[in-house]
Amino acid sequence: MKLLYAVAWILGIALMGQSVSILNHLFYPALILVIGLLPLQFFLFKHKPALILQFICGLIYFMLFLTAGYYYAQSALQQRLAYKETRVEDTKVIVYIAKINQLGSETIQQEIQVLNRHEQPVQWLSFQKRISDQQAVLELGKYYRLTGEIRPAHSYAVQGVFDLEQWYLQRNLMSGFKLKQIQPLSEAEIYGLGYASHLRKQQTIFKQLQLAIERQRLKIRNFIYIQPLSHKGLILALLTGDESFLDKETTIFFQRFGISHLLAISGPHVLIFAVMFCWLLQKILNRYWPQIFLKIPRPYALLLPFCFCVLLYCAFVGFEIPALRTLLSCFCLTALAWLRQKISALTLLLLSASLLLLFDPFSILSAAFWLSYGACFVLLRIYQTTIRLDLSRSQTWQQQLIFALKLLIESQWKIFVALLPLVIIFFKQVSWISPISNLVAIPLIGLVVVPLDVLAAFTFYVFEPLSSLLFQLADWVLLFLLSILHLLDAMLPIKLLSVALNVWQIILLIVVLSIIFMPKSTLPKTWVVLSVFPLLGLSAKQHPFELIVLDVGQGQAVYMQDDQQHAMIDVGGYYDETKFSIAKQVIQPFLSKQGVSELDPLILTHLDQDHSGSYTTLKNELSINQVYSNQQLDVAGKSRFDYCKQGQIWHWSEHVEIKILSPKASQLAQVPYQQNELSCVVYIQVKNVQPYQNFLIMGDAGWQTEFQLLQDYPDLKVDVLILGHHGSRHSSAYAFLKYYQPKLAVASAGFHNRYGHPSRITQARLKALNIPLLTTAGHGSIRFTARSTGLIELMTQRQTRPWLQSADSVVPNVTALNAALPH
């Protein structure tokens, strides 16, 4: 029963950011019931109670822990959000440096403690352009006055896309900061500025120890940097978790093989160091003080040194979640062992997870938390079904080796299969070769490279030439590993597979896997077949009409679906897709989340980078039947191209009709000279719905095209207008807006974009005509979904999570807009 209470606490924390109003009101009633039922609890403890009484008491305690976890998570979230920056502005800040920086190929990132922004210090992430290795950097343990620009974290608020704001929140980073000028400050100056309390706090033993550890990390990084190693980035990342020297190509290579988890500090890394130290300690004690084991049994005598080693290494790598999980598990194990309590592996796992979330509830937002504990759970099942059956048998070393290989193979495919739902949820991509590549990588990295790294780091403080040799040996092993992987890469078509499942499909997949991994006596394995059929059938489910204006920053992309058909109008694009790919980081994850593998049609209003830049990547990753644009472009595979021109009409489905209103066929020859003005203007009509039935998408067209539309289509009905040229002042003329009088205007524009879109002049025109304006910068993706009632519901992505919402947003409230809809 106690395990269920731990599960309830974890589930409550997992609801962080979700609005479950009933749980807000259940905590105190549940607490009062628990206090009121204390006499009954005493009776249940003394006597064997009826099953119904046990169930009632268990349910009350379950609700208490569930609501307590939920209340605790929401309270912590609100406190942290109070310090989140939301506006871009120039400022000067007083900061303290407590952690080493992260060196990138183009930038230097540094976590800074900002002292003068709020009543208590807050963490920001500063970044500056990396010019050379000799440039001025922020030194550990020093104070500075920094001049720069506040750059709040701002996610691409699109379903299925990496949430940068959540990542900042989970890391306790309240803002980004573009560093422009550095001015060192002495301790006397800090004292004079009124920060004496912070100065005294940094001089405590605990803070000095933390600073000393960071300095040692920096020393080892500098030592590795000057070594003649081929894989400095991998060696440093495997030793300390610092990815300063890790190049982008290596990271992508490891992702394709499904072994990128090995680049993060994990439990085995920590345990290797602790086991090596305790083995050495045991040898010393056996030789010089063997009598100590007569007073204290060997396992109990080594538990405390073992935990100390785990604590030291966790501090050395910055208390990453997998390492912290190992630390808490070791502490719990030590406490239970010393108290002579029965130790259950599952109990240990749930207890450590509960304690981790008590210390840091924001860990629940990290994929590392779920994948780490998920992998541990699978390994526990392997232990229960495999290891304990074979450990009792006497075996030769050859049999032990064969058994170890069997165990490695079994564990890899079971972990791969069991964690598949989590991988799909968090990454939307799967590496099919992962079980095979892990068979090679895990033994070499876990049993050879990491121990060599640890020994090298230890000998660095004793004899540097030996440390250099050990690092070189680790480098040779990595060279051997990468040679094997490159050989596999040359022989096999290895790529990440995009996998898209909706919520119900994921739930059914979890049910299937639960049945597979349950003990044989629990449920018949044939039940898997019964679960697979609905899993396959759900993909054929019909979907209502939906139109989504995606948040692609300073660009435009519109997605549309009806039943099993999917289309896009523009696909966005970063100014340099090689540096940051909108296709790979936004469009593909979104389409994967929607379960889209084919588009028909794709309309590119024109070929500007911010409207079509992603197409270069998407055309090779996605099946696109028909491509339309105002200019000729290359298409891939079986795709067909045609020009978009006035008069084209597609009855896309029974409910949806698509029309092209501009340019005219006679104007296509002028497109190279007037790309924006001659954008494809797309008009979408949806039958039998209200209140948003007619959508007009203007591309980058301006006043000239708007005037032409007024002449050619005087009876045009417009409910939703996606403003031309992202709301530029040279589009959306007052006469145009007044004539068509849309119910809603949408501007697809980037946060704090340099063009000032949507223009204040355009906003003034809309305000004068009482036309509500939504922007992707302020509301994220804007979704119009048809319901069975015949209403089209308006929702925005930034409504879905508290950390995505901004009190400084100037756009109208979506809830109020929905409330005004006819019912």
Side-chain angles (χ1 to χ4, degrees), residues 151-191:
R151 289 287 184 90
H154 193 83
S155 303
Y156 291 93
V158 180
Q159 190 178 24
V161 173
F162 172 70
D163 190 342
L164 180 66
E165 290 176 61
Q166 177 180 299
W167 183 85
Y168 264 65
L169 190 73
Q170 190 256 319
R171 306 278 299 188
N172 196 21
L173 298 170
M174 298 297 99
S175 179
F177 184 73
K178 185 178 180 181
L179 182 56
K180 297 179 180 178
Q181 189 176 354
I182 301 173
Q183 178 187 351
L185 295 174
S186 66
E187 290 188 356
E189 289 174 308
I190 290 296
Y191 187 86

Side-chain angles (χ1 to χ4, degrees), residues 323 367 428 569 572 583 680 797:
K428 319 297 181 303
I569 301 164
C680 303
Q797 189 63 23

Side-chain angles (χ1 to χ4, degrees), residues 603-617:
I603 301 173
L604 300 176
T605 58
H606 61 300
L607 300 187
D608 275 2
Q609 180 71 11
D610 59 337
H611 288 253
S612 65
S614 293
Y615 175 71
T616 305
T617 300

Side-chain angles (χ1 to χ4, degrees), residues 71 106 191 200 229 662 682 812:
Y71 183 81
E106 297 183 355
Y191 187 86
R200 287 193 297 269
L229 305 173
S662 179
V682 185

Side-chain angles (χ1 to χ4, degrees), residues 491-560:
M491 295 170 56
L492 301 171
I494 298 171
K495 61 183 293 188
L496 288 170
L497 303 177
S498 295
V499 180
L501 297 177
N502 59 37
V503 174
W504 291 109
Q505 286 175 318
I506 290 176
I507 291 173
L508 278 173
L509 179 59
I510 293 172
V511 171
V512 169
L513 295 177
S514 299
I515 295 172
I516 292 174
F517 284 95
M518 279 181 180
K520 293 181 180 179
S521 58
T522 309
L523 286 175
K525 302 301 180 186
T526 52
W527 283 32
V528 171
V529 179
L530 300 177
S531 302
V532 169
F533 280 120
L535 181 64
L536 298 174
L538 280 173
S539 61
K541 178 183 175 183
Q542 287 193 336
H543 300 280
F545 171 80
E546 194 167 57
L547 184 144
I548 307 174
V549 183
L550 300 178
D551 178 9
V552 290
Q554 185 58 26
Q556 180 171 286
V558 180
Y559 166 78
M560 184 172 63

Side-chain angles (χ1 to χ4, degrees), residues 224-236 245-247 250 468 471-480 482-483:
I224 291 175
Y225 180 73
I226 63 174
Q227 300 305 305
L229 305 173
S230 303
H231 304 101
K232 298 175 184 178
L234 284 174
I235 287 175
L236 181 62
F245 304 150
L246 201 60
D247 58 86
T250 301
S468 180
F471 277 130
Q472 187 65 62
L473 289 174
D475 192 48
W476 290 338
V477 176
L478 286 173
L479 182 62
F480 174 68
L482 291 175
S483 299

Side-chain angles (χ1 to χ4, degrees), residues 634-689:
D634 294 331
V635 295
K638 298 179 181 179
S639 299
R640 302 181 303 276
F641 173 80
D642 194 7
Y643 291 99
C644 58
K645 47 188 177 290
Q646 187 183 74
Q648 288 172 321
I649 301 177
W650 302 292
H651 298 283
W652 195 50
S653 71
E654 182 183 350
H655 309 286
V656 181
E657 184 178 86
I658 304 174
K659 297 180 181 179
I660 302 297
L661 307 186
S662 179
K664 297 180 179 180
S666 59
Q667 295 175 312
L668 290 174
Q670 299 300 315
V671 168
Y673 313 104
Q674 292 181 291
Q675 283 194 53
N676 285 355
E677 198 60 61
L678 296 178
S679 295
C680 303
V681 176
V682 185
Y683 184 64
I684 300 166
Q685 286 185 301
V686 188
K687 298 178 182 177
N688 303 320
V689 295

